[in-house]
Amino acid sequence: MSKYLFEGDFEINASKQMLYPYFNSASGLSQWFADDVNIDEDKVYNFIWDGEDHRAKMVSHRTNHYVKFEFVPETDDDKEDPAHFELRLEMNEITGSVYIKITDYSEMEDVDELYDLWQGLIDNLKETVGG
């Protein structure tokens, strides 16, 4: 099955320093992103949605700027073309507004459904941080 790239920008009323712990820690991610998140001894994050495990590694990050997770391959196709997502914090220097730039590379192909999914997740984050 082929994968699709989704990109979206969402404005949020919170600082990059305040938001970053919600992107890189299991406790932060479990507050808005997944039903639960655990990290094992190999630093593999286990995202749990609707009782299903989805394992991913943080493959790159920069404090207060971005995190990128790559899902652990389950098939040979996944090994060659792994699904991933990136959460990037960007600031508009003119307005001072902070934006979360989402890059989601997955098998989900409905752009409207993906936008609604991410909008709901960002709304959860806004509610959590008060932004």
Side-chain angles (χ1 to χ4, degrees):
M1 185 176 248
S2 59
K3 294 186 177 64
Y4 303 89
L5 182 66
F6 169 82
E7 293 181 316
D9 292 305
F10 301 89
E11 186 174 8
I12 190 162
N13 188 20
S15 72
K16 292 163 65 171
Q17 294 80 2
M18 179 184 184
L19 292 169
Y20 186 74
Y22 290 96
F23 290 4
N24 77 325
S25 70
S27 62
L29 287 160
S30 66
Q31 289 185 53
W32 69 278
F33 184 68
D35 298 336
D36 197 11
V37 181
N38 302 298
I39 304 175
D40 69 18
E41 64 277 355
D42 296 323
K43 299 200 177 186
V44 174
Y45 287 67
N46 183 23
F47 296 96
I48 302 167
W49 288 286
D50 298 326
E52 290 186 25
D53 295 348
H54 302 272
R55 296 166 32 92
K57 282 197 166 236
M58 185 186 298
V59 292
S60 64
H61 68 96
R62 182 170 170 213
T63 303
N64 297 328
H65 290 276
Y66 74 94
V67 295
K68 181 177 180 180
F69 290 93
E70 192 172 278
F71 287 95
V72 174
E74 295 180 9
T75 67
D76 288 339
D77 287 344
D78 289 343
K79 287 179 185 168
E80 303 225 355
D81 190 23
H84 64 268
F85 69 93
E86 182 178 279
L87 307 169
R88 187 172 287 272
L89 294 165
E90 297 182 348
M91 178 177 275
N92 181 313
E93 297 299 328
I94 296 170
T95 65
S97 298
V98 173
Y99 290 86
I100 300 170
K101 181 178 178 72
I102 307 291
T103 304
D104 183 353
Y105 184 65
S106 67
E107 292 179 356
M108 209 165 157
E109 61 184 285
D110 185 327
V111 175
D112 292 333
E113 190 176 334
L114 270 168
Y115 181 84
D116 290 345
L117 171 73
W118 280 107
Q119 182 66 61
L121 290 170
I122 297 301
D123 287 347
N124 290 346
L125 178 60
K126 287 179 179 180
E127 194 174 301
T128 301
V129 301

